Amino acid sequence: MTALSPRVTPDGYRIAINPIQWVASDDGHLDRSLQPPLPDLLAQIKKAGFPAAVVTAPGVSLDDYKRAYADAGMLPAPAYFGTPSPEAGVPLASTLEEAKAFGARQASLGLKDTFIAVHMPPVVRPRVDTPAIGVGFDQGRLNQVIDELGKAAEVIKAEGVMPALHPHVGTWIETEDETRQTLDAIGAGTLNFGPDSGHLSWAGADVIGLFRSYRDRISIMHLKDIRLDVREASMKAGKSYPEAALAGLWAEPGNGNLDIKAMIAELGAGFDGWLIAEVDRPTMPPYESAIVSANYLRALKRPAAAA
């Protein structure tokens, strides 16, 4: 029997999907209750053309989770761990306990990499109300976020899984400066870089410049597209995060305005990480959105190494 592989061609990338287009809700957020049962969702994802996926499945045991993937002929892909925002008041010990369990679960699934980010604040969310411009920046709070995220990263790495920083609009690690501060403070031995083409672009980051600075630390990437005209109009109108989503900010890879191929090319011929499609709000029904995303990622080829 041929071993399963997340590569569709020898010169292609390891590709997967985080299928959140199935849970995009009418209010511009995500509603996990909309997600099909795990076996049904995996069957649709495989039919769409993806060899691997990361699916959040609350209440599903690890054994049942593995069995569902095996039955579907699919591979699990790197997941996402979030440290609490300082406003949540969660004890650090609790966060580290969760990080340890998360890392152990990922290792049990055969994964070597994972995203790590800070969650949005639990109630008052200034960067959700006014997204992508670094509103409310506070160096002291950022230092706390970096410290706690770094400690969680150490715990996850101890389980055999390398965490990669995932900047995200709406959180306290949103901007290019906050991204650079976090990566520089924690360091390459503990933290890789797991960028998101859409979130960084929405926040106005120099994505190519970031990739050039931290190329050797990029191990996984969320690949998504946005419509820059919607970004500009939404920011000018002061739209919130969900309002921008409802206005049509997000798009399937290749259907927006980002030069995704240039971003990936900056990773170089030696990049051997994961490219994970993620469409926060699809422009078409979820299954069709997955097909478009799979076709785009399957067509990507690794650049030839320099002679």
Side-chain angles (χ1 to χ4, degrees):
M1 180 180 294
T2 303
L4 295 176
S5 172
R7 298 186 202 279
V8 293
T9 61
D11 59 342
Y13 295 96
R14 286 188 276 175
I15 67 169
I17 184 173
N18 182 15
I20 58 175
Q21 55 262 72
W22 268 270
V23 298
S25 55
D26 291 340
D27 61 0
H29 293 284
L30 302 179
D31 180 358
R32 296 290 176 185
S33 71
L34 300 174
Q35 183 169 288
L38 181 59
D40 295 344
L41 181 56
L42 290 175
Q44 291 187 64
I45 291 169
K46 183 175 184 181
K47 188 176 178 182
F50 281 102
V54 52
V55 180
T56 300
V60 177
S61 71
L62 181 58
D63 286 343
D64 287 345
Y65 193 81
K66 290 180 178 178
R67 188 176 302 111
Y69 273 82
D71 290 346
M74 295 279 293
L75 290 170
Y80 178 108
F81 181 79
T83 61
S85 184
E87 296 82 357
V90 177
L92 178 59
S94 297
T95 299
L96 299 185
E97 183 178 350
E98 289 183 10
K100 180 178 175 63
F102 173 85
R105 180 182 175 98
Q106 296 303 292
S108 177
L109 293 171
L111 295 164
K112 301 296 184 182
D113 300 282
T114 188
F115 296 99
I116 187 170
V118 58
H119 284 313
M120 296 176 186
V123 181
V124 178
R125 299 180 172 189
R127 292 190 173 185
V128 173
D129 296 334
T130 308
I133 61 172
V135 70
F137 175 79
D138 179 88
Q139 187 65 53
R141 179 178 53 226
L142 178 61
N143 292 343
Q144 179 183 349
V145 166
I146 290 172
D147 180 67
E148 295 184 359
L149 188 143
K151 287 182 170 63
E154 290 173 355
V155 169
I156 292 171
K157 185 184 176 187
E159 296 299 320
V161 180
M162 187 67 179
L165 176 67
H166 191 62
H168 198 289
V169 170
T171 76
W172 297 125
I173 304 178
E174 176 180 74
T175 65
E176 178 176 347
D177 174 66
E178 290 159 352
T179 299
R180 289 181 179 274
Q181 284 201 51
T182 305
L183 289 168
D184 292 346
I186 296 176
T190 302
L191 188 67
N192 274 342
F193 186 22
D196 182 302
S197 57
H199 280 279
L200 287 172
S201 298
W202 186 10
D206 174 8
V207 180
I208 298 295
L210 271 170
F211 285 14
R212 189 170 296 129
S213 296
Y214 301 100
R215 177 188 299 159
D216 293 343
R217 294 171 68 177
I218 298 176
S219 53
I220 47 181
M221 176 178 173
H222 276 172
L223 196 153
K224 66 177 61 155
D225 215 338
I226 65 172
R227 293 189 176 95
L228 293 176
D229 58 337
V230 176
R231 173 188 181 272
E232 298 306 318
S234 295
M235 296 180 79
K236 184 176 181 180
K239 290 184 181 293
S240 67
Y241 189 123
E243 288 170 341
L246 292 172
L249 175 72
W250 305 111
E252 289 74 19
N255 282 14
N257 305 119
L258 300 184
D259 193 348
I260 293 173
K261 291 182 179 179
M263 296 178 189
I264 295 170
E266 190 61 41
L267 301 178
F271 175 73
D272 193 40
W274 290 81
L275 298 180
I276 302 175
E278 189 179 71
V279 182
D280 293 45
R281 188 166 189 82
T283 67
M284 58 194 77
Y287 175 65
E288 284 75 8
S289 173
I291 292 174
V292 170
S293 300
N295 287 343
Y296 186 92
L297 268 66
R298 290 172 70 94
L300 296 171
K301 304 298 181 186
R302 190 184 312 277

